[in-house]
Amino acid sequence: MSDAGAVPDYYQLLGIIRTANTDQIRSAFHRFAREHHPDNFVGSPEESERHTELYQHGSEAYRVLSDPVKRKIYDEGLSQGAVRYSEDRAKETRRTMRPPGGVSLRSSKARVFFTRAHKAMKSEDWAQAKLNLRMALQNEPDNEALKAKLEEVLQRMKSR
């Protein structure tokens, strides 16, 4: 298992198809765990070590495939030849997520407040937009795009 060429993708490892649902993934992992759990091989140190590594890989496969966001990221990586899930890819994806309004945000809390501000701006509730933009800026004080949106709202409030 230690050489990268021998590592199957998560679907092959658990013996499921790519369109498997959560219940099928769970069942496949339970089958896999019964067969490969390291406690089944306590008498043989070499077998125990090999199955420990295999079981850890299977556990990783279950965690990734049962989480819709991680699974989507994994599937994208798999189409590019990566057989393992990478937190780096997840961070890249999170960084590029854009809420309505086109402002790139790193913080999920800032994203929530900005989305509320965007809705308030659409309905021309400038006071609510201002409040939510300030809350978003508390979570990302260095975000110039948020500062620009707040300035835009303040200008709208002055012109009323």
Side-chain angles (χ1 to χ4, degrees):
M1 281 298 304
S2 37
D3 93 89
V7 178
D9 70 51
Y10 295 158
Y11 296 102
Q12 291 171 341
L13 186 66
L14 296 179
I16 55 176
I17 58 174
R18 289 195 183 198
T19 57
N21 64 31
T22 308
D23 290 334
Q24 292 168 324
I25 294 167
R26 186 181 321 101
S27 294
F29 176 69
H30 286 288
R31 263 192 316 277
F32 175 87
R34 280 191 300 274
E35 185 178 336
H36 296 288
H37 196 280
D39 288 350
N40 296 339
F41 303 93
V42 290
S44 171
E46 293 156 357
E47 280 293 302
S48 179
E49 186 178 318
R50 187 173 77 78
H51 282 276
T52 297
E53 189 175 342
L54 185 60
Y55 183 79
Q56 288 171 344
H57 193 61
S59 295
E60 178 181 310
Y62 175 68
R63 279 192 309 275
V64 170
L65 296 179
S66 59
D67 180 316
V69 174
K70 288 181 180 179
R71 184 175 181 175
K72 181 176 185 250
I73 293 167
Y74 175 72
D75 287 344
E76 289 169 1
L78 190 59
S79 68
Q80 298 168 359
V83 294
R84 301 283 304 267
Y85 174 77
S86 168
E87 279 296 323
D88 293 338
R89 285 189 52 78
K91 288 176 186 170
E92 286 173 19
T93 302
R94 274 189 226 116
R95 224 179 286 126
T96 60
M97 287 176 58
R98 291 178 186 257
V103 174
S104 183
L105 301 164
R106 295 178 309 276
S107 162
S108 59
K109 288 182 180 178
R111 192 173 299 114
V112 168
F113 288 115
F114 180 76
T115 301
R116 290 177 186 166
H118 183 71
K119 287 179 184 174
M121 289 167 65
K122 277 186 154 183
S123 63
E124 296 186 8
D125 183 353
W126 304 115
Q128 193 65 34
K130 176 180 144 185
L131 173 71
N132 281 295
L133 284 170
R134 286 195 171 152
M135 295 299 288
L137 274 165
Q138 284 182 348
N139 289 284
E140 286 193 31
D142 59 335
N143 191 318
E144 295 301 321
L146 278 177
K147 291 176 184 175
K149 286 287 184 183
L150 179 59
E151 187 58 38
E152 179 184 327
V153 167
L154 293 173
Q155 291 299 320
R156 295 278 181 128
M157 290 176 81
K158 284 180 184 175
S159 67
R160 287 186 79 207

